[in-house]
Amino acid sequence: MFRTDLTARALYAEGAGIARCWPAAVAVPAEADDVGVLAAWAKRTGAALIPRGSGSGMAAGAIGPGVVVDLSRLNAIGVVEVEARRMRVGTGALRGAIDTAARARGLRFPVDPSSGAFCTIGGMVAANAAGARTLKFGATRPWVLGVRCVFDDGGDAWIHREQPLPAHLPAVARLLRAVEEIRRGVPLAALMHQGVRKESSGYGLAAMLSPGGHLVDLLTGSEGTLALFTEVELALIPIPAGTATVLATFPHLEDATACAVAAAGAGASACELLDRTFLDVAERGGPTGIPGDCEAVLLIEVEGADLAEIFANLAEITSLCGQFRATSVTKAVNSDQERNLWSLRHAASPILSQLAPRLRSMQFIEDGCVPPDRFPAYVRGVRAALQRAGTLGVIFGHAGDAHAHVNPLVDTRAHGWRDRVHGLLDEVCDLTARLGGTLAGEHGDGRLRAPLLDRVWGLEARGAFAHVKAAADPSGVLNPGCKVVGAGAVPFEVLRHDPEAPSLPPDVAAMLGDIERTRDWARFRLGPATGFPCAPTPAAR
């Protein structure tokens, strides 16, 4: 399906992030071979292709001025190979559906971003997505055994860790040459942020060039700029016997952060920080039970292969919280109790949505990650920047990885609000760079952060990124504007919450509003039931 009508273009002009950009057209491949046809057509005509799954990405990587390629129909879920602990799936398959299929056979896919119920696995691989349990299991990259790729000329091949590389394909040969040139000319240290535990910015050159690295590592996290993915093979692990959770309150941010780092070393499977800013917003919905002198809360999860291991891990984490001067510790050892504790983590979202239209939650500084010993300085620095900008904000995140999410709450009716947004972005970028961090811990660069990479990546790294991009996509048709940008690029031009932005058609605006309220981004796509006529595919024109 290939459509250029207003409704289709409007529906794909937005994602979960803050930006709006009208595409020229929308293509919806029905099978993998269609993607090859599209790629060959794009190379021939110069049309830009922007791959998209559920549209749940925060960094505007799945919107753009070219042809949005909705890969959600490539959603087959293959057989779970129990002994080998692996499975093959289409890139349009939802992460939640994949995990459900694995769990039916006693296994699981352990990478679970908060959007896991509705994000596609293709989007996760494209961004090297992570989540709360990255603390124990890492981000998506190490769990990708192989990806089936469509390259810039329409060439189609599996790139698999256990199979010979298809070096006969021009794009693969060019990529391998480029990586070898980078290996010889760029220090490995220049291609990473030392001490940072989560990274989805730039290309995964450091992972590929490290011992045991593979081309799969470079392709993972490339955000559709080196190839389009149609299938993925994933590694799986056994389901644990159970989990337990601790909620600990701290009067000092530094103690909470130190405890989080210690909990990571003690084997915690998740460790979430709720900053005072978050707690203040959550309390607007009613009493939370958190003392007013508490500066931070940690939610720490442990798991185990049996009950003895679970309770041993729980005892160790409880003891750690006491060592780091927690003022209260609440334990949950069954699913109902755990749900009750974790409900605090989800309390702010509905309250934030109720603040509109006066305040808009704008996630433009929402993915910073720094070395763990600098995390308190980062959180305090963001707080101070928000205060100087006269802007409310909510800070929370994955404390064990020193990774924070920030939701500034912007009054779009106030004079000068745009200047405050740009000033806040500039100040937090400076803060992140000063602390040796990355702007994208798990959400990717997208079009939001690609123009800002010179703030946190050195000249050698940016040159290496540009070399890789040119090798894989010399025509520049694969998601241009992500990862590597030209002079004059800006993080955003049109904000979807800007009251002066051009209006969407009323029916589309209503649909997007409903999707945003429910967070059901899996519905954010065209379906045959829409009843609108389809244009012929590019190959048939």
Side-chain angles (χ1 to χ4, degrees), residues 94-161:
L94 302 185
R95 184 267 170 199
I98 292 168
D99 190 55
T100 297
R103 285 176 180 271
R105 302 300 307 277
L107 300 172
R108 58 174 163 156
F109 179 59
V111 187
D112 59 340
S114 59
S115 59
F118 46 78
C119 69
T120 64
I121 193 64
M124 288 183 64
V125 175
N128 188 33
R133 291 173 181 82
T134 304
L135 188 65
K136 185 175 181 68
F137 300 111
T140 300
R141 181 174 283 123
W143 299 93
V144 179
L145 299 176
V147 283
R148 183 180 171 188
C149 298
V150 173
F151 294 100
D152 68 316
D153 57 359
D156 183 332
W158 272 94
I159 307 297
H160 201 285
R161 296 185 189 274

Side-chain angles (χ1 to χ4, degrees), residues 23 131 138 170 264 280 365 377 418 434 494:
D280 287 343
I365 50 171
R418 293 177 187 82
R434 199 161 59 245
V494 179

Side-chain angles (χ1 to χ4, degrees), residues 65-395:
V67 178
V68 170
V69 183
D70 179 349
L71 298 168
S72 62
R73 295 190 187 179
L74 308 183
N75 59 0
I77 296 179
V79 174
V80 177
E81 299 179 38
V82 177
E83 290 189 8
R85 295 183 181 177
R86 63 177 67 193
M87 66 189 299
R88 283 192 177 183
V89 298
T91 51
L94 302 185
R95 184 267 170 199
I98 292 168
D99 190 55
T100 297
R103 285 176 180 271
R105 302 300 307 277
L107 300 172
R108 58 174 163 156
F109 179 59
V111 187
D112 59 340
S114 59
S115 59
F118 46 78
C119 69
T120 64
I121 193 64
M124 288 183 64
V125 175
N128 188 33
R133 291 173 181 82
T134 304
L135 188 65
K136 185 175 181 68
F137 300 111
T140 300
R141 181 174 283 123
W143 299 93
V144 179
L145 299 176
V147 283
R148 183 180 171 188
C149 298
V150 173
F151 294 100
D152 68 316
D153 57 359
D156 183 332
W158 272 94
I159 307 297
H160 201 285
R161 296 185 189 274
E162 299 172 0
Q163 298 170 4
L165 290 172
H168 63 282
L169 291 179
V172 175
R174 293 193 306 266
L175 265 176
L176 294 176
R177 284 196 301 270
V179 171
E180 184 56 35
E181 289 162 359
I182 292 166
R183 185 196 303 274
R184 294 197 301 265
V186 180
L188 188 62
L191 302 172
M192 63 178 71
H193 291 106
Q194 299 289 342
V196 169
R197 294 188 174 184
K198 293 169 78 172
E199 179 76 88
S200 66
S201 181
Y203 288 118
L205 282 163
M208 181 177 178
L209 293 173
S210 295
H214 193 276
L215 184 56
V216 168
D217 296 314
L218 177 62
L219 293 167
T220 302
S222 61
E223 297 188 68
T225 62
L226 306 182
L228 304 183
F229 305 150
T230 58
E231 291 183 77
V232 184
E233 185 166 301
L234 301 169
L236 306 171
I237 58 173
I239 299 172
T243 61
T245 296
V246 165
L247 185 152
T249 63
F250 296 83
H252 302 294
L253 181 63
E254 286 78 7
D255 288 337
T257 303
C259 183
V261 173
S269 52
C271 183
E272 298 289 279
L273 174 114
L274 309 180
D275 176 67
R276 185 70 248 175
T277 58
F278 183 101
L279 299 172
D280 287 343
V281 168
E283 284 171 357
R284 296 188 182 202
T288 61
I290 304 300
D293 60 353
C294 166
E295 193 178 15
V297 164
L298 289 183
L299 279 162
I300 308 173
E301 180 192 81
V302 297
E303 62 177 54
D306 53 42
L307 287 177
E309 185 179 2
I310 293 169
F311 280 101
N313 291 338
L314 182 63
E316 183 173 3
I317 294 299
T318 303
S319 174
L320 275 178
C321 292
Q323 292 172 34
F324 288 97
R325 294 176 287 280
T327 52
S328 67
V329 177
T330 304
K331 293 179 283 188
V333 295
N334 63 51
S335 57
D336 288 340
Q337 292 173 342
E338 286 194 273
R339 261 194 305 274
N340 185 50
L341 291 189
W342 281 95
S343 66
L344 179 62
R345 170 67 171 76
H346 307 293
S349 292
I351 297 168
L352 292 176
S353 66
Q354 292 167 15
L355 296 176
R358 187 179 70 81
L359 296 178
R360 296 288 189 177
S361 180
M362 292 191 182
Q363 297 95 334
F364 54 89
I365 50 171
E366 47 77 43
D367 203 27
C369 189
V370 298
D373 62 326
R374 299 168 194 172
F375 191 51
Y378 180 79
V379 173
R380 293 192 187 282
V382 172
R383 283 185 192 170
L386 288 165
Q387 187 173 25
R388 281 189 290 272
T391 302
L392 293 174
V394 175
I395 304 172

